[in-house]
Amino acid sequence: MEEMKDLELEKSAKKTKGPYRNFPMVPRVVFGQGSFDQLGEILLPHRNSNDAPVIYLVDDVFKNSDLIDRIPVLFQDRIVLISADKEPKTGQVDDLVSTIKEDFTELPSAIVGIGGGTLLDLAKAVAIMLNNEGSSANYQGWDLVHNQAVYHVGIPTISGTGAEVSRTTVLLGPEKKLGINSDFTPFDQVILDPDLLHGVPKDQWFYTGMDCFIHCVESLNGTYLNAFSQSYGEKALELCEEVFLGDISDSDSRDKLMMASWHGGMSIAYSQVGVAHAMSYGLSYLLGTRHGIGNCLVFQHLEEFYPEGVAKFNEMMEKHDIQLPKGICANLTDEQFNTMIKVSLGMVPLWENALGKNWAKYITPEKLRSIYEKI
């Protein structure tokens, strides 16, 4: 009990003022049902030549769908279908970049990501690495990118991750799961078409939506909180509650969840996420657990840190009859637990946001293991 009182004092301590970060945002966005069909018109001014293609990275769930036929392919443009079953990897980014450079005489005019967080993160990473040397693993971290990315467009087909608006692209690397977090990462253009959310499986809809809900809870309860992040986070949280606890039409639900994702992503532009995300990175790195469900698996056990948020989360799970997998960590070895713990403890900004600058006094390897063992 005494430790938790000390922790609350740590979190309430005022931070030193300035210097303030001059963060970039997505400069152009179009929202509305059917807005996907404006893509060709949007891309046209950015086409450099007939030999500088537009590369479309598209979730392979759309193979043989009418969405593929609606993509405005011209000249040497290429559609690359990619499975979103696994988290995006640095090696995958490097292979895509290598293939593009080998197959075309000019750099692409644009990279377009069409899909959920995996495809959007891949598109951002590929756009960056086309203009930066070496492996994408070398750029996992904060502000390591030096050259402008190729023009890139994000078109989400599921909502919640905030990848369409964030300044990071989260990748699994050979040693860690960490984003390329830079001023060059955000998309130059985003198209938000709620019609593209039709047909998303219910469990995936829930887990991805909970990513938004959870990172808003973490942002709003964090030490980095400020009026900027609070204004976006509170609106995103309100929209999530309307979608997952309210009684609204499917059409309104798609519109509101798309905007919750946008506002949620904006809320952490000037803030950070927290305990659930830090620990879910360990799950993803070791077990390949998808980001959305990974956050849910951890968050259910975080009443100590986010009591109101966890209570609301449980209410949402009950309303939508969601049953989380059990025993994910039941048979892990000491070495495997230590790997997850090491990855999680490496997420220093997340822990600092969650618990303050002296977070390491409260979060020990033993503490993390005790939570992982419940999953």
Side-chain angles (χ1 to χ4, degrees), residues 123-355:
K124 289 190 284 188
V126 168
I128 286 171
M129 294 311 303
L130 283 166
N131 271 339
N132 288 272
E133 296 295 326
S135 169
S136 55
N138 298 334
Y139 298 88
Q140 286 182 283
W142 281 263
D143 301 306
L144 301 176
V145 180
H146 301 295
N147 298 324
Q148 181 75 42
V150 168
Y151 178 82
H152 49 307
V153 179
I155 306 175
T157 61
I158 186 170
S159 290
T161 68
E164 64 274 18
V165 70
S166 74
R167 76 186 292 271
T168 192
T169 167
V170 182
L171 302 172
L172 279 173
E175 297 179 359
K176 55 196 170 186
K177 177 180 177 181
L178 190 61
I180 300 176
N181 197 312
S182 79
D183 284 354
F184 302 114
T185 306
F187 286 110
D188 299 294
Q189 170 79 55
V190 170
I191 297 176
L192 300 176
D193 185 345
D195 283 349
L196 300 182
L197 305 187
H198 278 291
V200 175
K202 184 176 181 179
D203 58 346
Q204 189 178 5
W205 165 82
F206 184 85
Y207 297 142
T208 308
M210 286 304 99
D211 184 18
C212 180
F213 172 75
I214 290 167
H215 76 226
C216 287
V217 170
E218 292 175 322
S219 173
L220 290 169
N221 287 278
T223 64
Y224 288 6
L225 185 65
N226 52 70
F228 183 97
S229 55
Q230 184 175 6
S231 63
Y232 284 105
E234 287 178 346
K235 185 60 181 178
L237 202 64
E238 175 190 322
L239 289 167
C240 283
E241 291 184 9
E242 285 187 58
V243 170
F244 292 102
L245 293 176
D247 183 18
I248 60 177
S249 69
D250 288 344
S251 178
D252 282 349
S253 175
R254 288 191 294 272
D255 287 4
K256 289 178 183 293
L257 188 55
M258 186 159 264
M259 293 318 302
S261 181
W262 182 269
H263 282 74
M266 289 295 297
S267 76
I268 56 174
Y270 228 117
S271 179
Q272 256 300 352
V273 286
V275 179
H277 277 72
M279 293 192 67
S280 76
Y281 284 161
L283 286 175
S284 293
Y285 181 80
L286 180 71
L287 303 175
T289 307
R290 296 295 303 280
H291 184 67
I293 191 172
N295 284 329
C296 291
L297 288 168
V298 175
F299 193 69
Q300 64 180 326
H301 300 298
L302 299 184
E303 299 96 333
E304 176 183 354
F305 304 100
Y306 310 110
E308 293 180 9
V310 173
K312 193 73 71 174
F313 171 75
N314 289 334
E315 188 180 347
M316 292 174 176
M317 281 212 302
E318 183 176 357
K319 178 177 175 64
H320 295 283
D321 194 26
I322 299 296
Q323 303 295 322
L324 292 175
K326 298 182 184 298
I328 299 296
C329 299
N331 299 311
L332 297 184
T333 65
D334 289 342
E335 182 179 357
Q336 289 174 314
F337 274 116
N338 289 338
T339 296
M340 288 198 301
I341 291 165
K342 180 180 178 181
V343 169
S344 178
L345 290 176
M347 308 304 296
V348 173
L350 281 64
W351 289 113
E352 186 174 301
N353 176 55
L355 305 172

